[in-house]
Amino acid sequence: MKKKLIAGNWKMNGTLAANEALVQALLAGAAGNDCQVSVCVPAPYLAQVQQLLAGSGIDLGAQDVSQHEAGAFTGEVSAQMLRDFGVRYCLVGHSERRQYHGESDAVVAIKAQRALAAGITPVVCVGETLAERESGLTEEVVKRQLAVVIHTNGHGISEIVVAYEPVWAIGTGKTASAEQAQQVHAVLRNQLRAATPQADKMHILYGGSMNAANAAQLLAQADIDGGLVGGAALKSADFLAIIAAAQ
Ligand code: PEP
């Protein structure tokens, strides 16, 4: 049976001391759990967290990757560099990257391709804004976002993770209801089924104000294979409670 995947997105938070305390608490609390766990950390802390996680069952993740392979791209971090630090997962197309850094669907698809080529699993984020939901465009938007990734990556698509993150639910405390989330996940699953025979084995995560109180209901839905967790991933007790809800 497919294990749930719970991925924490620390965003631009952390210090050496805070990271160490958080990871030590996760290592102590998550031991023996029966799901896949990952933490996506800011790039400067990859080396630190790689060391802290060494030999544990928790995987290291990054929050972004360059669309370029190497060269004169000041400030960028390549997929190969992430690989050097043992990165297993990399978020691509997070709504904060799309919104504040103008990342288009095409750029997101190329980033996913770079990650795959380096042996890293891209966690491709899709999701509609509130205005798009209120205009009845939710399905159209998420299908368009995923279609470009499918088109660019061909057979590689079976190796990605998809994260449905309604933009209006990220960091707002507003969660999609379990039914709303499941409805969109089913649409994404069907789109993946049309692209690969592996679709049912793939993970589709829900993200958007997931917390200790709502995780169990969301994670019980047929097509919700895990969570992408922002704010609640910064507090060990909350993150551990979500991991427990995923068992
Ligand atoms: C995220 O950043 O991917 C996220 C889902 O954030 P939050 O859980 O804080 O809404």
Side-chain angles (χ1 to χ4, degrees), residues 9 11 94 96 165 169-172 207-210 228-232:
N9 173 15
K11 310 196 190 205
H94 190 281
E96 288 151 17
E165 297 210 305
I170 297 180
T172 58
S209 298
M210 185 181 268
L228 178 53
V229 184

Side-chain angles (χ1 to χ4, degrees), residues 133-190:
R133 173 162 282 268
E134 287 175 349
S135 305
L137 294 174
T138 299
E139 289 189 16
E140 188 180 319
V141 169
V142 298
K143 284 169 82 174
R144 186 204 71 221
Q145 291 171 331
L146 184 57
V148 185
V149 180
I150 291 172
H151 179 76
T152 305
N153 289 281
H155 292 305
I157 200 69
S158 61
E159 302 301 320
I160 76 165
V161 169
V162 177
Y164 169 54
E165 297 210 305
V167 179
W168 50 270
I170 297 180
T172 58
K174 289 183 195 148
T175 320
S177 69
E179 295 71 27
Q180 282 174 321
Q182 166 56 28
Q183 202 176 1
V184 178
H185 279 235
V187 167
L188 294 169
R189 182 83 64 199
N190 283 334

Side-chain angles (χ1 to χ4, degrees), residues 53-64:
L53 294 178
S56 79
I58 300 182
D59 290 311
L60 183 60
Q63 298 175 12
D64 186 31

Side-chain angles (χ1 to χ4, degrees), residues 2-23:
K2 181 169 49 178
K3 291 186 177 177
K4 302 267 195 224
L5 167 61
I6 303 296
N9 173 15
W10 290 2
K11 310 196 190 205
M12 197 172 72
N13 294 293
T15 63
L16 288 171
N19 301 342
E20 175 152 11
L22 177 55
V23 172

Side-chain angles (χ1 to χ4, degrees), residues 3-4 26 29-37 57-58 240 243-244 246-247:
K3 291 186 177 177
K4 302 267 195 224
L26 295 181
N33 80 83
D34 196 30
C35 63
Q36 293 171 247
V37 179
I58 300 182
L240 287 168
I243 292 169
Q247 305 296 316

